[in-house]
Amino acid sequence: MNKREIFDSIQKEYEQLQLVAKEKLERKKIFCYEKCPRIKEIDEQLQNTAIKISKTLIGANKENKQNYVNYIKKLTQDLTKEKDYILSKNGFNKDFFENIYICKKCKDTGYIDKKRCDCFKQKLIEKYYKMSNIMPKTPEKFPIENCSKEVTPPNTISPYQNMQHILKVSTDFVENFDKKFQNLLFYGDVGLGKTLLCNIIAKDILNKGHTVLYSSAFSLFEMFEKSKFKKDNIDNIDDYMLEFPKTADLLVIDDLGTEFITTLSTSELFDIINSRLLNKKHTIISTNLSSNSLSEIYSSRIISRIYGSYEVLRFFGEDVRLKKRDID
């Protein structure tokens, strides 16, 4: 599902909400009109007034137009004031007829003065989340307090200081996402927080209203393999799922090097990386492999594009998951 399709699906949701609101309004009118017949007369008068003003203003001179507008404005105010009084007198809230919408700001249209309402933006984010595959309980911040402050040779800085630098780069990546094209490569041993940080960044980008795809390398290339060879009678892999790794505003490939290395997987990896570079789509890759190990597995054209176009960040230190378990 591309962005246009997502927008269209949301628009259909709003069309359905407006139908529901219309039905609610009709039920409320029937109930209220039976109890207060004068309210029905006022509503009909207000409606007829709106029709009359549009007809009268056509062809009228400037002075007559202004006089009529002033007259209609006062009439409308008087009728509205009377309507509010009758509603209140009979136990109805002032906004009795307005309390039919889920979003009162846009009245379930999704727009305010041709600009997207906050509720529309929220629907976008929710749909993007469903497509993203990020962890459901991703924390807001990286637990840097679990990183050691001791310097261990041959490193010249502590894991804590190193993570401070990585988090600064990551924060800048999120803050400048709309202004600066950037790609990141996280590498280092297992348990150092690469996957967690990938998810935190992905969540922040989603909350900015962008599309994100988070996938392990194994799952990503398994999808392409199943699609190509029709394994396990897979029929539910839509074209958008195959294109989404290229079109998502942010692609996160976690654990590169854990997939089955085949001609197909390396070909798809190059195609994805190259396409995203050409179209200036941000990418984050994490791996437990060193640069030498990556060079042994992948072709020079893949390696050259990664190391030539990605900011490389090394994670080192103790396994933070084991350390946290020992503390707990």
Side-chain angles (χ1 to χ4, degrees):
M1 186 178 291
N2 57 37
K3 278 189 173 182
R4 182 69 267 162
E5 290 169 333
I6 292 172
F7 272 74
D8 289 344
S9 69
I10 292 175
Q11 197 59 53
K12 288 180 180 177
E13 290 180 20
Y14 278 110
E15 290 171 4
Q16 186 61 37
L17 288 175
Q18 288 174 59
L19 287 174
V20 172
K22 187 177 180 180
E23 291 173 358
K24 286 181 181 178
L25 180 60
E26 290 304 316
R27 288 196 298 269
K28 287 195 170 194
K29 281 182 177 180
I30 292 171
F31 177 73
C32 182
Y33 291 169
E34 287 180 354
K35 190 173 183 179
C36 311
R38 176 57 184 157
I39 295 293
K40 182 178 181 180
E41 294 174 2
I42 292 174
D43 282 347
E44 289 175 349
Q45 195 170 351
L46 287 170
Q47 186 177 3
N48 291 332
T49 299
I51 296 172
K52 284 181 181 178
I53 191 171
S54 60
K55 288 182 178 180
T56 304
L57 291 179
I58 297 174
N61 60 45
K62 187 175 181 180
E63 184 178 353
N64 288 339
K65 279 184 180 180
Q66 190 57 52
N67 289 336
Y68 194 68
V69 166
N70 291 337
Y71 165 73
I72 292 298
K73 186 176 180 181
K74 186 176 187 311
L75 177 62
T76 301
Q77 288 174 343
D78 291 343
L79 288 171
T80 302
K81 187 176 180 181
E82 182 186 356
K83 180 179 177 179
D84 290 343
Y85 171 76
I86 295 172
L87 286 172
S88 177
K89 185 178 179 181
N90 286 274
F92 295 104
N93 292 327
K94 184 179 178 181
D95 61 346
F96 176 72
F97 290 111
E98 293 292 320
N99 192 23
I100 56 175
Y101 305 106
I102 292 177
C103 179
K104 293 182 180 179
K105 290 190 292 184
C106 71
K107 296 185 177 180
D108 292 346
T109 63
Y111 289 88
I112 302 174
D113 297 330
K114 296 183 179 180
K115 294 182 179 179
R116 286 181 211 153
C117 181
D118 289 338
C119 66
F120 192 106
K121 296 174 184 177
Q122 186 59 40
K123 284 180 179 291
L124 272 178
I125 291 172
E126 288 171 0
K127 286 188 179 292
Y128 290 164
Y129 260 95
K130 289 179 181 178
M131 296 167 64
S132 69
N133 294 330
I134 70 167
M135 296 189 307
K137 294 185 179 180
T138 300
E140 295 293 328
K141 296 181 179 180
F142 186 91
I144 191 173
E145 64 276 5
N146 293 329
C147 298
S148 172
K149 295 184 179 181
E150 295 182 13
V151 179
T152 305
N155 299 312
T156 57
I157 59 174
S158 68
Y160 185 89
Q161 291 171 310
N162 183 58
M163 188 53 65
Q164 281 183 314
H165 169 65
I166 292 174
L167 292 180
K168 183 181 184 307
V169 172
S170 300
T171 299
D172 291 342
F173 179 89
V174 172
E175 290 180 352
N176 299 311
F177 192 83
D178 296 312
K179 304 173 187 176
K180 179 183 177 183
F181 174 56
Q182 190 178 8
N183 305 290
L184 304 177
L185 172 67
F186 296 159
Y187 82 97
D189 292 336
V190 297
L192 299 178
K194 299 185 298 298
T195 294
L196 177 59
L197 184 55
C198 282
N199 276 273
I200 292 173
I201 294 174
K203 181 180 179 181
D204 288 342
I205 298 301
L206 276 168
N207 289 336
K208 289 169 72 76
H210 293 285
T211 55
V212 174
L213 174 61
Y214 176 96
S215 178
S216 68
F218 181 87
S219 296
L220 182 62
F221 297 113
E222 183 183 45
M223 177 182 69
F224 286 112
E225 184 182 5
K226 286 183 177 180
S227 174
K228 185 174 180 63
F229 299 109
K230 304 297 181 184
K231 289 186 176 182
D232 302 330
N233 295 317
I234 295 295
D235 294 321
N236 61 342
I237 300 180
D238 297 326
D239 289 340
Y240 89 86
M241 293 175 65
L242 299 173
E243 287 298 313
F244 199 37
K246 295 178 184 176
T247 60
D249 296 330
L250 172 63
L251 170 65
V252 180
I253 304 177
D254 195 20
D255 276 341
L256 185 67
T258 59
E259 73 278 12
F260 290 117
I261 307 299
T262 63
T263 303
L264 175 63
S265 67
T266 53
S267 174
E268 291 291 351
L269 177 61
F270 174 79
D271 193 26
I272 290 169
I273 290 175
N274 196 51
S275 173
R276 295 186 66 81
L277 287 174
L278 291 174
N279 292 295
K280 295 191 179 300
K281 296 285 188 178
H282 307 264
T283 308
I284 299 176
I285 296 175
S286 81
T287 180
N288 298 330
L289 302 177
S290 65
S291 56
N292 289 335
S293 298
L294 287 172
S295 298
E296 291 174 1
I297 296 174
Y298 301 104
S299 66
S300 58
R301 62 179 189 163
I302 291 176
I303 297 301
S304 64
R305 278 164 177 75
I306 292 177
Y307 282 93
S309 305
Y310 287 58
E311 182 163 357
V312 181
L313 298 166
R314 175 177 169 248
F315 287 60
F316 62 82
E318 300 177 51
D319 188 325
V320 292
R321 291 173 299 189
L322 293 177
K323 185 175 182 180
K324 185 176 184 301
R325 189 181 68 185
D326 290 341
I327 294 173
D328 295 342

